[in-house]
Amino acid sequence: MHTGHTISGTAHAALILWVLFGGVFRSEPDAVRVQDVSVLSEQEFAALSERAAPPESTQDVTAPPVPETEPAPAPEIQPPTPEPEAQTPPQPEPAPQPEPETVPEAVPMPPQADVQD
């Protein structure tokens, strides 16, 4: 008979039965998880979630600070002096291309006489 078909059918049947009835025969139910909870009032919650106030600033941050002295004048920027052009080496001349060979014109063949046997 077909041994491969028999083995595959048996394995599939066992898998299906295990999926259907595998969890039915448990001896102990799942454990119940318990969590202790306490209730907070609004004031207690506000006290826990309140952030510390930032320290007061002694400077007015909206106005930019006024310098007491005049700023130093910006140094004048002079345009860069052009550098002398570097001597470039002369370009090599390209190699001469060989001239294409001339093909002689085709000479027409004289017509041949039909030979009948």
Side-chain angles (χ1 to χ4, degrees):
M1 189 160 176
H2 300 283
T3 306
H5 290 115
T6 305
I7 293 172
S8 176
T10 304
H12 278 88
L15 177 66
I16 291 171
L17 289 173
W18 179 71
V19 167
L20 290 176
F21 300 110
V24 173
F25 303 110
R26 288 188 183 161
S27 61
E28 297 179 11
D30 290 338
V32 178
R33 296 181 185 171
V34 178
Q35 182 71 32
D36 290 332
V37 186
S38 63
V39 179
L40 295 176
S41 67
E42 289 183 30
Q43 292 82 17
E44 292 172 331
F45 180 76
L48 289 176
S49 62
E50 181 179 303
R51 293 186 177 181
E56 293 296 321
S57 176
T58 57
Q59 288 183 338
D60 184 16
V61 292
T62 58
V66 179
E68 295 178 8
T69 61
E70 291 186 25
E76 293 182 24
I77 300 176
Q78 297 179 356
T81 58
E83 296 181 17
E85 292 184 22
Q87 294 181 355
T88 57
Q91 297 292 332
E93 294 182 15
Q97 298 290 330
E99 293 183 19
E101 295 180 18
T102 57
V103 179
E105 293 183 23
V107 179
M109 299 281 296
Q112 295 181 355
D114 289 333
V115 178
Q116 293 182 1
D117 289 322

